[in-house]
Amino acid sequence: MRALDLPAPRDGDWYGVLIDEHDVAGTTMAAVTIRGRRGQRAERRWFDDGGIALAWASTQADARHLPLFDLREPAE
């Protein structure tokens, strides 16, 4: 079995839903990280489709009343 190194979640004192992209084993993946209020731990979910990642992130931001930050590079 091959081990994969996943990037560490983004540090900082922020609250919200964050979408960013990472190269995981030669594949571009979208990571959605949620850091809610009330001392909840951050959670992260991976997607291979950016549209699905955005839809899920939007749903989570709406349901949790959190801001949504899309840090991916704009498509050209």
Side-chain angles (χ1 to χ4, degrees), residues 6-30:
L6 296 176
R10 203 175 280 271
D11 285 335
D13 189 20
W14 57 273
Y15 296 103
V17 179
L18 179 86
I19 303 174
D20 55 351
E21 288 184 335
H22 300 277
D23 181 45
V24 179
T27 302
T28 300
M29 302 283 292

Side-chain angles (χ1 to χ4, degrees), residues 1-12:
M1 181 183 335
R2 186 170 84 175
L4 299 175
D5 291 323
L6 296 176
R10 203 175 280 271
D11 285 335

Side-chain angles (χ1 to χ4, degrees), residues 2-64:
R2 186 170 84 175
L4 299 175
D5 291 323
L6 296 176
R10 203 175 280 271
D11 285 335
D13 189 20
W14 57 273
Y15 296 103
V17 179
L18 179 86
I19 303 174
D20 55 351
E21 288 184 335
H22 300 277
D23 181 45
V24 179
T27 302
T28 300
M29 302 283 292
V32 177
T33 306
I34 303 168
R35 183 170 292 163
R37 297 180 177 93
R38 299 185 199 111
Q40 298 171 336
R41 67 180 187 88
E43 41 183 300
R44 182 165 60 173
R45 188 164 172 189
W46 295 91
F47 298 88
D48 62 352
D49 183 300
I52 294 172
L54 181 59
W56 190 78
S58 299
T59 300
Q60 295 300 308
D62 188 41
R64 299 172 190 227

